Amino acid sequence: MIRAAFFDIDGTLVSFNTHRIPHSAINAIRRIRQSGVKVFIATGRPLPFVNNIDGLEYDGIMTVNGANCQTSDGVVIRHNPVGRADLLRLIDYYQDHPFPIAFASNDDTFVTGSSAEAEDIMHLLNLQPPRLAPIESCLDMDVMQIIAFYKDSEQPRLMTDVLSGCDTQRWHPFFTDIICKGNDKARGIDAIIGHYGISLSETMAFGDGGNDISMLQHVGLGIAMGNARDEVKAAAQYVTTDVDNDGISLALSKFVP
């Protein structure tokens, strides 16, 4: 029996083509909620960037790959921001190695600079560019995510010598998401189901990206979207159709009749 369902946003709930949730998914999720299944968002986006799930009814949300988890009415279940020591080292590094960086808390975002690549990503995700501010402004906020637009060649030094208390997840060649160590969607799920008293065997999850692999392998039933990469599909127990072809609705009809 399924008692909790977790849904990634981009490429899973929301189409990259339309920037919307298909009506079939909204209706299917409403149906399972009415039958008693709790519904949770599980996204790599920080909370201020969750701007594309209008019309969806849900019970809680996991943002920045599990670093922040809360109920739909704002009760915090898990909160694990980037450490101040990492931020101070990043500020020092940035003085001699500048590149665009976006910082996000649960209620604010800013960017240190811009580039054509950064603007392309904002367009892909249908986001308004954050305000421009000095990098030192990150010390005045509870940083949940760092979005860094740097080349792969810079990553070993940056993640070893500078952001040693953080993990990185690159799902696009132009940038990488950086969050505090010890966070992924599987840990976020454990925190949420612990809060609600739900066992792991009673969970299911939908995803399409690399940051969904831990979640799909962890839950009782992991479902990959048809538009997912091969390694994501390999991590799932079932592969449905893609987001633009009613993938969520078809899978929920099969497993939560």
Side-chain angles (χ1 to χ4, degrees), residues 45-50 61-64 67-70 74 76 78-81 103-109 141-145:
R45 290 189 182 215
L47 205 53
F49 287 173
V50 179
I61 184 166
M62 173 205 312
T63 58
V64 285
N68 182 72
C69 302
Q70 59 190 63
V76 176
R78 191 168 195 263
H79 185 71
N80 192 11
F103 293 87
S105 67
N106 281 344
D107 54 13
D108 191 19
T109 62
M141 64 195 299
D142 212 5
V143 175
M144 299 305 300
Q145 185 179 55

Side-chain angles (χ1 to χ4, degrees), residues 15-26:
S15 165
F16 283 118
N17 297 318
T18 66
H19 301 299
R20 295 180 180 177
I21 305 175
H23 290 299
S24 62
I26 290 176

Side-chain angles (χ1 to χ4, degrees), residues 1 3-4 6 189 193-194 196-204 220:
M1 182 178 70
R3 294 181 59 203
F6 293 82
I189 285 174
I193 64 175
Y196 285 96
I198 297 170
S199 74
L200 194 59
S201 63
E202 298 171 314
T203 62
M204 70 187 308

Side-chain angles (χ1 to χ4, degrees), residues 134-149:
I135 189 172
E136 292 81 5
S137 300
C138 70
L139 298 175
D140 299 324
M141 64 195 299
D142 212 5
V143 175
M144 299 305 300
Q145 185 179 55
I146 300 166
I147 305 167
F149 294 85

Side-chain angles (χ1 to χ4, degrees), residues 130-185:
R131 62 185 175 91
L132 192 65
I135 189 172
E136 292 81 5
S137 300
C138 70
L139 298 175
D140 299 324
M141 64 195 299
D142 212 5
V143 175
M144 299 305 300
Q145 185 179 55
I146 300 166
I147 305 167
F149 294 85
Y150 63 77
K151 299 176 181 177
D152 273 339
S153 58
E154 295 182 67
Q155 182 157 311
R157 180 181 175 189
L158 189 65
M159 297 309 300
T160 301
D161 299 336
V162 181
L163 295 169
S164 57
C166 295
D167 286 329
T168 182
Q169 177 75 49
R170 184 180 289 272
W171 61 272
H172 194 281
F174 290 164
F175 76 100
T176 188
D177 291 333
I178 299 169
I179 61 176
C180 184
K181 280 186 182 296
N183 295 300
D184 60 25
K185 292 188 179 183

Side-chain angles (χ1 to χ4, degrees), residues 45-109:
R45 290 189 182 215
L47 205 53
F49 287 173
V50 179
N51 65 345
N52 54 354
I53 55 174
D54 289 345
L56 186 70
E57 301 168 353
Y58 58 92
D59 298 282
I61 184 166
M62 173 205 312
T63 58
V64 285
N65 292 330
N68 182 72
C69 302
Q70 59 190 63
T71 65
S72 57
D73 56 359
V75 176
V76 176
I77 299 171
R78 191 168 195 263
H79 185 71
N80 192 11
V82 175
R84 186 176 180 84
D86 286 83
L87 297 177
L88 290 170
R89 287 191 296 269
L90 179 58
I91 291 170
D92 287 341
Y93 182 84
Y94 182 85
Q95 308 312 316
D96 296 322
H97 307 84
F99 52 88
I101 308 174
F103 293 87
S105 67
N106 281 344
D107 54 13
D108 191 19
T109 62

